[in-house]
Amino acid sequence: LDTDPTAKSVVDGYVRALACGITNLANEFRPEAIILGGGVMKEKYLTEEIDRKLKKSVMPGYETVKVLPAVLGNKAGLMGAAENVLRNLKNA
């Protein structure tokens, strides 16, 4: 990202929009953590930037919410589909 200003601008816009949405969720529900999935969340830059922006914009006292990448990452959909097939085979 450091070598491509256009790519950095696009990613930073994505981070701003995502952080805004997460801030609204955090302010409304005050969760301990917000888990984000997908392969893109493996990028440490994204999780760190989202976390930094979130801490600046949540209501006072809500700064403890954590943004964490999903354990299954990009495989959650695949794992869910496999579970569904196994359940259907078991019930057939």
Side-chain angles (χ1 to χ4, degrees):
L1 288 175
D2 292 332
T3 60
D4 188 342
T6 302
K8 185 170 182 345
S9 174
V10 169
V11 170
D12 287 344
Y14 170 75
V15 168
R16 270 192 309 279
L18 192 54
C20 180
I22 292 170
T23 297
N24 290 329
L25 289 171
N27 286 336
E28 183 70 27
F29 298 107
R30 198 175 186 181
E32 289 182 32
I34 295 176
I35 311 299
L36 300 176
V40 73
M41 294 315 297
K42 289 181 183 177
E43 296 297 324
K44 194 173 182 180
Y45 173 78
L46 288 178
T47 54
E48 288 176 351
E49 282 298 298
I50 292 167
D51 192 55
R52 188 178 65 74
K53 290 184 182 312
L54 178 65
K55 298 238 184 303
K56 285 183 176 180
S57 57
V58 292
M59 292 190 302
Y62 286 42
E63 300 91 350
T64 59
V65 66
K66 294 179 176 106
V67 176
L68 304 169
V71 173
L72 293 177
N74 212 22
K75 296 180 183 175
L78 180 62
M79 298 296 284
E83 174 66 20
N84 191 37
V85 168
L86 292 174
R87 284 185 186 185
N88 285 331
L89 288 174
K90 181 179 174 184
N91 295 328

